[in-house]
Amino acid sequence: MLKTTPFHTRTSALVRAQTWRRWAGYQMASAYDPHPDREYAAIRNSAALIDVSPLYKYRITGRDAMRLLDRTITRDMTKLKPGQVYYTPWCDGEGKVVDDGTVTRLDETSYRLTSADSSLRWLHLNAAGMEVRIEDISERAGALSLQGPLSRTILTTVSPADLTALKYFRYVDTTIRDIPVGLSRTGYTGDLGYEIWVDAERAVALWDALMEAGKPYGLTPAGVWALDIARIEAGLIMMDIDYFSSHHALTEQRKSSPYEINLGWAVSAGKGPFNGRRALAAERIRGAAWNFVGLEIEWDSFERLFTAQGLPPQIPNVAWRTSVPLYDAGRQIGYATSGCWSPLLKKSLALAHLRTPYAVPGTSVGIEITVEHQRRRASATVSKLPFFDPERKKA
Amino acid sequence: MSEPVAGAAKSPSYDAVVIGAGANGLVAATRLAQSGLRVLLLERSDALGGQGAIVEFAPGFRAAPLGIDPGWIPPAVARGLGLESLAGDPAEASLSVAIAPGSFLTLSRDAGRAAEAIKVHSASDAAKWPAFTGLLHRLAGFLGALYQTPAPDVGLASAADLPALLGLALKYRALGRQEMIEFLRTLPLSVWDLLDDAFESAPLKAAVAPGGIQDYRQGPRSGGTGYVLLHHLVGAPAGMVRGRLPWRGGPGAFTDAAEAAARRAGVTIRTGAAVTRITVHDDAATGVVLSNGEEITAGAILSTADPSRTLLDWVDPVWLDPEFMHAVGNIRYRGCTAVVLYALDTLPEFPGLESRDALAGLISLTPSVRALEKAADAAKYGEVSEHPHVEISVPTLRTAALADNGKHVMIARVQYAPYRLRDGAAWDAARREALADRVTAAIEAVSPGFGARVKHRVALSPRDLEERFGLREGAPTQGELGLDQILFMRPVAGWGRHATPIRGLYLGGAGAHPGPGILGGAGWLAASRLLADRRGGSKGA
Amino acid sequence: MTPRYDAIVVGGGHNGLVTAAYLARAGKKTLVLERRDLVGGAAVTEEVFPGFKFSVFSYVVSLLRPEIIRDLDLPRHGLQILPLESTVTPLDNGDYLAGWADPDETRRELCRHSPRDADASAVFGRLMHHMAMAVRPILGMVPPDPTSLSPGDLVGLLKLGGHFRSLGAERFHALHKLMTMSSADYLDEWFEFGPLKATKSASGIIGTFLGPRSPGSAYVLLHHYMGELDGAFRAWGFQKGGTGGISESIAGAARAHGVTIRTGAAVERVIVRNNRATGVVLEGGEEISAKIVISGLDPRLTFTKLVESRELPADLVEAVRRFKFRGSSGKVNLALAGLPNFTCMPGEGPHLRGAISISPSVEYLERAYDDAKYGEFSRHPYMDIVIPSMIDPNMAPPGKHVMSVFVQYAPYDLNGGWTDAKREAFGDAVIDTVSRYAPNLKSLILHRQVLTPLDIERMTGLSEGNIFQGELALQQLFFLRPLPQWSNYRTPIEGYWQCGAGTHPGGGIMGASGRLAAMEILRSGS
């Protein structure tokens, strides 16, 4: 039996097309509607409610909690203030990314780490010789992501928190209709949005409260498919899709440093010792061999491939997650790892690993497209990430 | 990578601090000082010598509790420190085993004489004995060659290692085809199978087997005890199957000579100086902090304490890779040896023992390999053997000065007394004395009236050995001699060459290659590594 | 006079059949001689009780080399491996530990006992994957002799050295640990939940005379993962119709290539003239000539029964004497009127289609070993139980079942020797122990067959009942298996070869020894 999240009794009733998938051992909705477009549209137009409970969550407390996190992640923990959230990767000793996630400083001495993969063993290995308590609260806590332009408006009707004061990547303990929750202004959509953390026992009540409050504002439950399109538009990477955790990679070539997956900004060069510090310092001097970029597929070259076969261009309504080779003339220079048709930008987008010399915005590369059982190439242009970055995200 | 080092402008008080003044520490410090370094040698106890230290355990009675086997000085160490004159006592160093009350088998170092004694039990075994001891001697000899260089490592070997590797390969080939195979076959073998394949006589097997389990929490049936047997024979003269010759000048001779060499070389020695921390800056060791809070800066640190204490207790974990710490944390120590020291008015009688000279050698009271295995079983479950394996020796027969007025000292080494007891039970005085009572009873069984001659008795449990000698889990090995913890796997895989992930921090104790009983072996190699790194600039690992 | 055959294979076990099939495939006129009335050796299916079929000895397949399956096209000859998907360990507190086919389900189950172990298990699995990758080429090579200076051996050694270097330091070191440690110590570095460690370490002791705390027991842990690595072939599971079906499929492939197989033909000795094998003499006196003779029997029989010791160098005879067999396992086969009801998982369920492992703790296994060390069978043995009729309904009459209980330890050298009474006492100890976890078992038993190592020796010929034709201990592996200098499938007698599990890599229904022997024979131009 797969696990189900604390919201399962509510979400399962809404999955009309039985479109289920696995996410970290949980049974999750790919989409609620038979056709997922409406769910995506809600993220960009009104608000969407997404069950993100399968994220792994850890509560870290104790004398050395800050030291543990500081030696683990690449950002400088000494600068994280109470009520602040970091998005950060963390590395192994060779400076290869193990996972990425968020660290929230809940109060002076306690922290919450979220991660894509289970991190208990890694945290304990890192905590050797330290006085720290690591609690896996993954199953005790439910998590909902409320994303979209109207998300703040909806929350205002149910929460006493001063939401105008809650800035981007900030956190506050508050209530929603008297249900104690943790509220962070974070998300995986690149839009205005919040993530809400709740005790599993109160999860269903929270769902109901939000759905009811959101009704007048078009709040729509959204599944993983819609989320996937939004996160590609936002240029956000996904572990084991866009990069392999160094703990999962079967070969050295499959591992990536933060610099190679566009997370160099999250490596704090001047901070104290942390995993991979030496290797990353060396890489900074050497320069990363690979870069992670956005690609916009050039429409005309794309359409021509279909026209040649007497077909209209085919655009999937869900994101793809297969590795696709990229070329400069005849030579392979990289690979795209996920992509989608952006219903908002009206462009075909991809996230890609490119050898550094090609990673300059504006560079034109060839991307493999299979049309009518034949491998062809379309042109694509290297683009800065994110593809979509509305002002409301941080406003 | 070079980032500015805060405080680098201030020159350190010493070029090198060596931690621990046992054999390895004395040798390492001397080697470093001879190369022109300003060296400080720190010893936590008040006496030098580490495991070879002599203690006065009762008024007028002295002994080196862990010194039954004095160990072996590799030739380079002897030459380097000018210890060539430190000779083993050529007097008979026999090995005896109690077969039953009133009956002993005594194996002389002289293979011919030993064969005579064996003949009583088995003529065919007697005929095989000289060849068997010769083979052990040659196999241990090759191991000795391996112990004088950094351990070759297929995983890490670089072109620079080739000459040393070729040298070893030639020595290996020199064994001849048959013995090359025997060498490879013997390492993973159990000493039980090794002896079963060779001999039929139970007392003979019982005499040899304990060499395979010395300080090892395994029984003679366990694979790898063949290697342990060979390890303890490295440097032993031909014909000996347990341990090495005692020093002519008594158990303290090595420490005295090594201390003199260290002082000649200009080493500053401080006793009663316990390290509590190694300071690190920018991935490099910068000094040590003592228990009184005193900070001493140094260009390099060479620790002869065990790897876990050095790396896990003394270094801030943020400087170490989590997987590396995990590997260090997994080092198995598993002390299982206890020692009982007896102060005797007069020499006890051992009816059936061929001469009292045998008491100056080693006498095992375990009559069969099976009994040895049974003794080991308890330790697997965290229990003390009901019938422990006991080996005794009377050092005062060689070195009368160890006791006043012609009195005697007997050392009994006891296995198995696991450091970690079942359900977390403690090694309290009651448990320790209960074990000592069992030992006294075992001796009494072959030496009627023994108990009555005992003036004082001091028992040292693994817990006591840990406290007194600074040995983690009371293990004289600083890491048990399993096949996964030797050579290039010692102390942990990938770090078999005395350096650590912290620049300027070196491991040179028994926990490093070549391990325990090789006097100054690890210290010498670690010092060589330190000097090479200084010459070539600090390259880390 | 020209010999009647190009090659005679003595012994129709699975390795002998593999060798014969490969030789015939290369055009050699090949005869297989099997003492029993059916081929397969220790891989046979027999209807021991009317209507109840048993894989009498070996009962699961995990390591059958994929290249053999491909080369001999075994599925066409009846190879059909059915999934054996779970392992359930009943615990003494009434709970259980389960490993399921689905990784998410397994993870969830592990989390119930230890979340850290669930994490560690994933990392461990990947390491084992790498280790299995590292070992796989070694299973497929003729061991070079590190003491030889012959060009062939030196090239082999360089290849091997190159292989180890290509692994990188980290994996080479991990492999070294796996080869030298005890399974209990090895698993202690990874896991904290006792029954998990016990169940995993149990695979390290199967067929050996080692306890889980004995150094050298860790590397057999790999075997399980080797099977997974070749998972695409579904080589891990239960052969339709029982293990004999595998032997039959190889025999079928061999016959299709022209091999003659004679059963009920016991070879008395190999004829040696002028240090050259020229044929065999059957019990009853029939002589059959051949250019070469290949023994699929174990090293003791190969070197001391089939030929005269005086034909061989003295050091080789001595080395054979030192070669350790020490059969340590027994088998209890039960015909059941219904399904056992395990207290920890009452009723019918998926667990009955997998293995039930009686391995509640490492100490339990170690104490079972202690009994055997001193010449007794384990009072509470380690057991690996499967109910083949749940996987393949053809194994038992409808509604009835067969249960296979692999038992360890049962020493060949039992104090006072094995007698009928002791065999039954051993059987009782097994049933009593299983009944602690499945109390209705006794009431279901229609028939029982108890096999001690002595029975295994008598029935299959395996010396001392060792199911691997010789202990899989480090000093008997690779270029030391079976004997130093003779790990290349040859013997000092020209034209006399070995192909049994007593040669590298040996052990389990793998077929690798048989295949490597055939390749070496063909390469030598014999």
Side-chain angles (χ1 to χ4, degrees), chain B residues 179-224:
Chain B
E179 293 189 1
M180 283 193 272
I181 292 166
E182 283 306 322
F183 183 76
L184 292 173
R185 197 177 156 272
T186 303
L187 300 187
L189 204 61
S190 74
V191 71
W192 176 298
D193 283 344
L194 178 77
L195 294 168
D196 247 8
D197 287 343
F199 301 116
E200 58 182 22
S201 153
L204 180 59
K205 294 186 220 176
V208 182
I213 55 97
Q214 185 181 322
D215 298 325
Y216 193 30
R217 208 201 69 182
Q218 292 283 351
R221 277 193 95 116
S222 287

Side-chain angles (χ1 to χ4, degrees), chain B residues 30-364:
Chain B
T30 306
R31 172 143 172 72
L32 294 175
Q34 285 172 343
S35 303
L37 272 59
R38 290 167 301 136
V39 180
L40 172 67
L41 176 60
L42 296 172
E43 168 58 39
R44 75 188 254 289
S45 70
D46 294 326
L48 306 185
Q51 294 192 35
I54 296 172
V55 297
E56 177 156 2
F57 65 96
F61 293 91
R62 289 166 292 276
L66 291 171
I68 284 191
D69 176 356
W72 173 61
I73 315 175
V77 175
R79 273 195 309 276
L81 271 68
L83 303 177
E84 290 103 327
S85 61
L86 195 69
D89 186 342
E92 176 65 285
S94 63
L95 168 69
S96 309
V97 61
I99 304 166
S103 172
F104 290 84
L105 166 66
T106 296
L107 298 172
S108 160
R109 219 176 87 207
D110 177 77
R113 278 183 59 198
E116 284 300 311
I118 297 166
K119 210 177 266 172
V120 178
H121 302 279
S122 161
S124 88
D125 286 0
K128 289 177 184 167
W129 180 252
F132 179 79
T133 55
L135 177 66
L136 288 188
H137 182 63
R138 287 188 299 278
L139 299 186
F142 176 65
L143 205 53
L146 274 174
Y147 284 176
Q148 293 175 61
T149 65
D153 184 346
V154 176
L156 295 174
S158 69
D161 295 327
L162 279 179
L165 280 178
L166 275 176
L168 282 175
L170 289 176
K171 285 199 178 106
Y172 180 57
R173 295 254 172 221
L175 283 174
R177 195 164 186 187
Q178 209 60 47
E179 293 189 1
M180 283 193 272
I181 292 166
E182 283 306 322
F183 183 76
L184 292 173
R185 197 177 156 272
T186 303
L187 300 187
L189 204 61
S190 74
V191 71
W192 176 298
D193 283 344
L194 178 77
L195 294 168
D196 247 8
D197 287 343
F199 301 116
E200 58 182 22
S201 153
L204 180 59
K205 294 186 220 176
V208 182
I213 55 97
Q214 185 181 322
D215 298 325
Y216 193 30
R217 208 201 69 182
Q218 292 283 351
R221 277 193 95 116
S222 287
T225 47
Y227 163 75
V228 176
L229 178 74
L230 291 183
H231 175 86
H232 294 299
L233 287 180
V234 171
M240 278 184 89
V241 287
R242 290 297 313 282
R244 282 139 297 207
L245 289 182
W247 307 121
R248 199 191 306 230
F254 173 83
T255 304
D256 293 345
E259 182 189 352
R263 295 201 187 275
R264 268 199 309 278
V267 173
T268 308
I269 301 177
R270 275 178 64 179
T271 55
V275 170
T276 58
R277 203 149 62 78
I278 292 172
T279 53
V280 179
H281 192 274
D282 201 18
D283 296 319
T286 56
V288 296
V289 178
L290 303 185
S291 55
N292 62 5
E294 182 187 350
E295 228 179 304
I296 302 168
T297 56
I301 316 283
L302 192 156
S303 170
T304 67
D306 67 78
S308 303
R309 185 171 317 281
T310 305
L311 291 161
L312 300 183
D313 296 353
W314 290 344
V315 174
D316 185 336
V318 298
W319 296 107
L320 295 168
D321 181 76
E323 302 282 6
F324 176 79
M325 285 192 287
H326 185 57
V328 175
N330 279 332
I331 295 173
R332 299 187 309 280
Y333 291 89
R334 292 185 175 166
C336 59
T337 303
V339 175
V340 185
L341 303 171
Y342 293 99
L344 304 173
D345 265 337
T346 55
L347 205 58
E349 301 289 334
F350 285 81
L353 194 61
E354 64 173 33
S355 82
R356 66 171 231 161
D357 288 348
L359 279 172
L362 193 63
I363 301 178
S364 165

Side-chain angles (χ1 to χ4, degrees), chain B residues 391-414:
Chain B
E391 295 177 331
I392 55 174
S393 184
V394 180
T396 36
L397 284 170
R398 282 176 197 282
T399 313
L402 289 169
D404 299 346
N405 312 321
K407 296 195 166 60
H408 284 284
V409 166
M410 181 187 281
I411 304 177
R413 248 181 113 107
V414 186

Side-chain angles (χ1 to χ4, degrees), chain C residues 14 17-18 21 64 72 74 77 245-255:
Chain C
H14 75 282
L17 293 169
V18 166
L64 185 59
L72 302 181
L74 295 183
H77 297 282
I246 297 167
S247 308
E248 290 297 340
S249 76
I250 303 169
R255 285 196 193 94

Side-chain angles (χ1 to χ4, degrees), chain A residues 57-376:
Chain A
K57 314 170 217 51
Y58 303 92
R59 191 183 158 83
I60 297 162
T61 50
R63 193 192 71 189
D64 290 326
M66 199 267 273
R67 261 159 52 83
L68 164 62
L69 287 163
D70 195 52
R71 71 106 72 224
T72 305
I73 68 171
T74 57
R75 296 184 71 179
D76 189 346
M77 279 301 294
T78 60
K79 297 188 174 141
L80 186 74
K81 293 186 275 293
Q84 193 184 349
V85 186
Y86 273 162
Y87 166 74
T88 181
W90 48 96
C91 294
D92 64 16
E94 275 70 54
K96 303 298 184 185
V97 179
V98 171
D99 201 344
D100 63 295
T102 59
V103 177
T104 305
R105 186 159 180 189
L106 301 169
D107 54 45
E108 279 296 329
T109 55
S110 44
Y111 300 83
R112 180 176 57 223
L113 176 106
T114 66
S115 57
D117 192 23
S118 178
S119 305
L120 204 56
R121 178 172 192 269
W122 186 241
L123 286 172
H124 276 286
L125 287 186
N126 275 278
M130 292 189 185
E131 204 174 284
V132 63
R133 183 176 149 87
I134 302 162
E135 288 170 88
D136 184 348
I137 54 168
S138 301
E139 295 194 18
R140 280 184 2 227
L144 285 178
S145 188
L146 178 65
Q147 302 283 310
L150 301 182
S151 53
R152 183 187 293 150
T153 314
I154 295 169
L155 276 182
T156 313
T157 66
V158 287
S159 175
D162 179 1
L163 293 173
T164 50
L166 189 67
K167 299 294 179 204
Y168 192 50
F169 273 85
R170 289 294 188 279
Y171 170 90
V172 68
D173 282 310
T174 179
T175 58
I176 287 178
R177 290 258 163 87
D178 298 328
I179 302 161
V181 296
L183 188 65
S184 60
R185 185 145 160 222
T186 51
Y188 198 47
T189 62
D191 217 303
L192 172 67
Y194 300 84
E195 284 170 314
I196 307 161
W197 316 88
V198 66
D199 277 350
E201 303 85 72
R202 308 297 300 273
V204 170
L206 175 68
W207 176 276
D208 291 343
L210 286 169
M211 285 301 289
E212 191 204 324
K215 210 169 184 181
Y217 303 95
L219 179 63
T220 306
V224 178
W225 279 341
L227 183 64
D228 213 13
I229 291 174
R231 69 99 190 166
I232 290 170
E233 289 173 341
L236 299 171
I237 54 169
M238 184 176 276
M239 190 194 74
D240 285 355
I241 299 293
D242 296 308
Y243 74 96
F244 283 105
S245 162
S246 78
H247 288 172
H248 300 176
L250 291 175
T251 60
E252 286 304 310
Q253 301 92 282
R254 284 190 167 190
K255 300 178 179 175
S256 299
S257 79
Y259 297 107
E260 292 171 333
I261 55 172
N262 202 29
L263 293 178
W265 62 270
V267 180
S268 177
K271 69 178 274 196
F274 65 96
N275 296 332
R277 174 169 167 263
R278 264 178 288 188
L280 293 175
E283 189 174 341
R284 268 198 303 285
I285 292 165
R286 203 172 55 232
W290 289 84
N291 266 252
F292 192 78
V293 298
L295 290 180
E296 294 184 357
I297 296 164
E298 200 191 60
W299 181 257
D300 289 342
S301 72
F302 179 73
E303 185 172 15
R304 263 199 302 279
L305 301 178
F306 288 87
T307 311
Q309 300 294 328
L311 295 169
Q314 286 161 5
I315 300 165
N317 63 358
V318 296
W320 48 268
R321 293 174 164 191
T322 45
S323 179
V324 171
L326 302 173
Y327 297 94
D328 172 39
R331 181 162 163 258
Q332 190 178 346
I333 52 167
Y335 52 99
T337 46
S338 53
C340 67
W341 170 255
S342 166
L344 184 76
L345 304 173
K346 300 300 177 208
K347 278 178 187 164
S348 207
L349 309 175
L351 300 177
H353 296 259
L354 271 181
R355 291 190 184 278
T356 300
Y358 298 92
V360 184
T363 308
S364 180
V365 302
I367 181 166
E368 187 177 285
I369 308 277
T370 302
V371 180
E372 203 65 1
H373 331 295
Q374 295 170 38
R375 291 178 182 185
R376 296 281 183 257

Side-chain angles (χ1 to χ4, degrees), chain A residues 1-3 22 24-25 56 118-122 124 136 247-251, chain C residues 102-105 107-108 111 115-116 119-120 123 126 129-130 170-171 189-190:
Chain A
M1 279 284 287
L2 292 176
K3 289 191 281 192
R22 284 189 197 199
Y56 288 90
S118 178
S119 305
L120 204 56
R121 178 172 192 269
W122 186 241
H124 276 286
D136 184 348
H247 288 172
H248 300 176
L250 291 175
T251 60
Chain C
D102 183 81
D104 280 332
E105 279 196 274
R107 184 183 161 78
R108 189 178 185 190
C111 264
R116 278 169 82 171
D119 265 24
V123 186
R126 277 187 290 277
H129 170 92
H130 287 307
E170 204 179 321
R171 286 178 197 165
E189 294 195 354
W190 287 90

Side-chain angles (χ1 to χ4, degrees), chain B residues 470-489:
Chain B
L471 297 169
R472 195 175 201 85
E473 297 189 18
T477 54
Q478 283 199 3
E480 71 174 19
L481 292 172
L483 292 180
D484 60 309
Q485 297 196 152
I486 60 166
L487 300 172
F488 59 89
M489 303 293 282

